C-alpha cells in the first residue's frame, strides 16, 4: 500500500531515495532547508564516481559503491548527462608507501574493481600519466567524473514527474511521533507522514536528536579546499592522480582530478571546520565549535590526529605547503600553476563517543523514522544503491 513518506534533506541521497519511492507509487515529500537542491556536500565535492578501491571488502561502502557506480552511469546515459571515464592512478612515490598500496590492490581485487592493473614499471606509469612521479601504482581505468548537482536536479525531475513534491526553503525544526505517524514542522509548514527518512548530511545528528536518537555518532565537519590548475597547464594531468591514503585517516589525501568540464582541480585537504557549513576559515559557528570541543571523543581524536591536524591546517593557511604536497606527484608543477582557490566542501564525518571514526555507511531507526547517520564519500557514487538498500531494509513491508 502506498505510504506518505517525508524525506529531510535534498542532497543526492535524499533525492535518489525520493525518486525510488515515487517510482513505486509512494506519496513523497522532500523538505530541503536551502533555496536549491545539492547546496552542501553534493554540490561541493570532487565529482568522482569511485570504482571501490579503498573500502573494506563486504562493507556497505564496498557493496553499495559497486552497485551505485553502475546505476549512476546508467542514469547519466539515460538522461544524456556527462559521464567521463578519465581513469585513476593511485601512486606510491617511495618505498614507504608500497605496503599500503599493496593493501589497496588487495581490497580492489576483492571488491572486483573492473580492469584494475598493478603497475611497477615507471615507463608504464608515464604512459598513463606522462608527468607523474612514482615507483608503483594501481590503475583503475573506469573511475569516472560527473556533475553531481546536475544529476540531483535530473533525479528531482523524475520525482516531480511521478507526483512527488520537493519543497525548498523548508527547514525541519521539529519532529514528533504521534499515534504511529510523524508530525514534521518547518517554520512555514506542518506535515504528517507515515514514515520519515532523514538524509541531512552535515546536520544528520542534529535532526536525529529531534526524535530522541542517541547523540552518538556525532558529525564533526572537515573542510576540504581545492585549488584550480591554470588552464594552460591542465595537460600535466590526463585523468586522476591520487596519493596512497593514510589508513589511519578517513580522507583520501590531496589529489589531481580532471573534472567533467575539463578543468583540473587539486585537493581537497582536510581541516576541522569551525561551522558545519563553514566553507571558509571566517565562517565560524560558536555553537558548532563548542559542541565539537566538548564531545567526549574530542580529546582522544585530537591525541590520535594532532600531527595530521597541524599539517593540514598549515597547508590550508600557507600555499607553499599545500603546493609541496601536490608537487610530490607532479614535479613539473609550479606554484603559479595553482591559480586560485576553487571552492571548498565540508565533509559530514561521523565519530563515536570514544573518538572512534565511523568508517562505514550507517543507518539507524527510531520508530517510523529512519536516520542516515553516516553517508560520507563514496555516498554520491552510491546514492542510487543507498536508496535501494534503505527501501529494502527499512521501508519495505517485509522490513516494517
Ligand atoms: C570535499 C568533498 C569531496 C567529496 N568527493 C566525493 C567524490 O568524489 N565522490 C563521492 O562519491 N563522494 C564524494 N564526497 C561525498 C559526497 O559528496 C557525500 O557523501 C554526498 O553528497 C552525501 O549526500 P547527502 O545527500 O547525504 O548529503 P548532502 O548533500 O550534504 O545533503 C544534505 C541536505 O540536507 C539538508 N538539510 C540539513 N538539515 C536540514 C533540515 N533540518 N531541514 C531540511 N533540510 C536539511 C541540507 O541543506 C542538504 O541539502 C565528497 C564530499 C566532500 C565534502
Amino acid at each position: 500500500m502506498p505510504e506518505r513518506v517525508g524525506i529531510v534533506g535534498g542532497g543526492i541521497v535524499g533525492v535518489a531515495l525520493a525518486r525510488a519511492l515515487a517510482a513505486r507509487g509512494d506519496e513523497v515529500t522532500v523538505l530541503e532547508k536551502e533555496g536549491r537542491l545539492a547546496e552542501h556536500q553534493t554540490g561541493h565535492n570532487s565529482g568522482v564516481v569511485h570504482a571501490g578501491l579503498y573500502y573494506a571488502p563486504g562493507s556497505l561502502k564496498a557493496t553499495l559503491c559497486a552497485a551505485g557506480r553502475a546505476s549512476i552511469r546508467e542514469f547519466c546515459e539515460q538522461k544524456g548527462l556527462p559521464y567521463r571515464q578519465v581513469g585513476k592512478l593511485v601512486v606510491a612515490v617511495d618505498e614507504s608507501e608500497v605496503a599500503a598500496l599493496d593493501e589497496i590492490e588487495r581490497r580492489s581485487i576483492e571488491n572486483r574493481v573492473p580492469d584494475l592493473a598493478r603497475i611497477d614499471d615507471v615507463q608504464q606509469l608515464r604512459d598513463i600519466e606522462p608527468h607523474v612521479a612514482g615507483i608503483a601504482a594501481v590503475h583503475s581505468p573506469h573511475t569516472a567524473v560527473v556533475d553531481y548537482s546536475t544529476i540531483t536536479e535530473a533525479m528531482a525531475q523524475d520525482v516531480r514527474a511521478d507526483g512527488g513534491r520537493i519543497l525548498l526553503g523548508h527547514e525541519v525544526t521539529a519532529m514528533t511521533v504521534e499515534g504511529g505517524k510523524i508530525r514534521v514542522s518547518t517554520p512555514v509548514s506542518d506535515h504528517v507522514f507515515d514514515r520519515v527518512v532523514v538524509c541531512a548530511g552535515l546536520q544528520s545528528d542534529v535532526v536525529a536528536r529531534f526524535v530522541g536518537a542517541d547523540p552518538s555518532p556525532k558529525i564533526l565537519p572537515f573542510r576540504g579546499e581545492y585549488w584550480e590548475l591554470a588552464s594552460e597547464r591542465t595537460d600535466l594531468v590526463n585523468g586522476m592522480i591520487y596519493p596512497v591514503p593514510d589508513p589511519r585517516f578517513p580522507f583520501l589525501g590531496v589529489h589531481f582530478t580532471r573534472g567533467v568540464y575539463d578543468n583540473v582541480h587539486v585537493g581537497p585537504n582536510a581541516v576541522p571546520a569551525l561551522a558545519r557549513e563553514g566553507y571558509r576559515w571566517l565562517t565560524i559557528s560558536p555553537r558548532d565549535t563548542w559542541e565539537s570541543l566538548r564531545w567526549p571523543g574530542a580529546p582522544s581524536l585530537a591525541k590520535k590526529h594532532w600531527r595530521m591536524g597541524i599539517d593540514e591546517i598549515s597547508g590550508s593557511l600557507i600555499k607553499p605547503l599545500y603546493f609541496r604536497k601536490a608537487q610530490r606527484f607532479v614535479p613539473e608543477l609550479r606554484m603559479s600553476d595553482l591559480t586560485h582557490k576553487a571552492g571548498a566542501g565540508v565533509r559530514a564525518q561521523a565519530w563515536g563517543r570514544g573518538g572512534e571514526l565511523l568508517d562505514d555507511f550507517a543507518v539507524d531507526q527510531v520508530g517510523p523514522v529512519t536516520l542516515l547517520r553516516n553517508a560520507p564519500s563514496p555516498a554520491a557514487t552510491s546514492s542510487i544503491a543507498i536508496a535501494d538498500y534503505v527501501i529494502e531494509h527499512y521501508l519495505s513491508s517485509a522490513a516494517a
Side-chain angles (χ1 to χ4, degrees):
M1 208 170 104
E3 291 192 296
R4 274 176 303 167
V5 186
I7 295 175
V8 183
I12 194 166
V13 175
V15 178
L17 180 61
R19 177 172 170 265
L21 290 169
R24 74 171 196 176
D26 284 326
E27 201 183 295
V28 181
T29 305
V30 176
L31 299 163
E32 165 54 51
K33 71 184 171 74
E34 303 293 350
R36 66 177 189 98
L37 297 172
E39 179 72 27
H40 292 294
Q41 295 177 93
T42 301
H44 292 89
N45 62 36
S46 301
V48 177
V49 180
H50 287 289
L53 277 71
Y54 309 99
Y55 317 118
S59 63
L60 283 179
K61 277 190 178 176
T63 50
L64 300 182
C65 179
R69 70 167 189 259
S71 304
I72 284 284
R73 181 182 179 165
E74 202 180 309
F75 183 79
C76 288
E77 279 168 6
Q78 259 175 27
K79 302 286 176 185
L81 299 175
Y83 181 99
R84 294 183 60 193
Q85 292 191 88
V86 296
K88 163 169 165 175
L89 267 186
V90 180
V91 181
V93 173
D94 58 40
E95 281 298 335
S96 70
E97 295 169 347
V98 171
L101 185 72
D102 292 343
E103 173 61 12
I104 288 179
E105 184 189 10
R106 189 191 68 75
R107 287 185 173 200
S108 305
I109 292 167
E110 274 206 57
N111 292 342
R112 296 172 195 270
V113 172
D115 298 326
L116 186 97
R118 168 73 182 227
I119 299 172
D120 288 301
D121 176 76
V122 174
Q123 191 47 51
Q124 236 184 314
L125 211 66
R126 292 262 164 90
D127 290 344
I128 299 167
E129 287 288 353
H131 304 279
V132 78
I135 58 165
V138 292
H139 183 227
S140 161
H142 301 293
T143 299
V145 283
V146 293
D147 177 343
Y148 283 118
S149 297
T150 311
I151 291 175
T152 307
E153 286 296 343
M155 288 176 174
Q157 281 177 15
D158 286 354
V159 175
R160 293 185 186 106
D162 281 329
R165 294 193 305 165
I166 297 192
L167 303 179
L168 303 176
H170 282 60
E171 177 171 2
V172 172
T173 48
M175 290 197 282
T176 39
V177 179
E178 296 168 355
K181 308 269 184 214
I182 310 124
R183 178 174 294 279
V184 177
S185 306
T186 81
V188 291
S189 59
D190 262 311
H191 309 262
V192 176
F193 299 114
D194 300 311
R195 313 274 200 116
V196 167
V197 186
V198 176
C199 307
L202 288 153
Q203 310 284 346
S204 54
D205 53 342
V206 174
V207 179
R209 272 185 251 143
F210 296 160
V211 285
D214 192 328
S216 182
K218 177 174 169 46
I219 296 295
L220 293 180
F222 282 84
R223 190 174 59 250
E225 297 148 344
Y226 295 94
W227 283 83
E228 186 84 13
L229 200 60
S231 54
E232 66 278 13
R233 297 284 282 165
T234 55
D235 57 359
L236 287 175
V237 178
N238 282 336
M240 297 173 218
I241 303 174
Y242 273 63
V244 176
D246 183 333
R248 291 165 305 167
F249 208 54
F251 311 124
L252 299 179
V254 167
H255 47 261
F256 292 79
T257 306
R258 179 171 289 275
V260 77
Y261 304 115
D262 241 0
N263 57 318
V264 174
H265 54 247
V266 184
N269 56 356
V271 292
L274 301 177
R276 284 171 190 269
E277 291 157 8
Y279 294 96
R280 296 176 310 134
W281 273 114
L282 293 178
T283 309
I284 299 168
S285 157
R287 196 188 64 178
D288 289 350
T289 308
W290 173 238
E291 276 187 10
S292 294
L293 289 173
R294 73 190 181 107
W295 182 241
S300 81
L301 187 67
K303 196 170 156 204
K304 225 185 291 174
H305 295 301
W306 66 270
R307 209 182 286 274
M308 171 82 85
I310 289 175
D311 189 46
E312 292 289 320
I313 291 168
S314 319
S316 165
L317 297 171
I318 306 166
K319 182 179 173 186
L321 298 180
Y322 194 108
F323 162 72
R324 235 178 277 152
K325 276 188 195 173
Q327 200 203 24
R328 264 187 98 219
F329 297 91
V330 180
E332 286 167 60
L333 188 74
R334 298 185 300 244
M335 188 131 82
S336 57
D337 295 336
L338 302 182
T339 52
H340 60 279
K341 279 201 175 163
V346 185
R347 304 172 182 87
Q349 176 60 56
W351 301 82
R353 229 177 232 103
E356 71 284 6
L357 159 76
L358 227 77
D359 189 39
D360 209 358
F361 298 146
V363 188
D364 215 348
Q365 182 87 34
V366 175
V369 180
T370 304
L371 304 150
L372 258 89
R373 304 288 314 240
N374 196 40
S377 186
T381 304
S382 317
S383 49
I384 296 174
I386 293 177
D388 293 342
Y389 173 85
V390 168
I391 290 173
E392 186 188 340
H393 291 87
Y394 297 90
L395 302 181
S396 68
S397 42

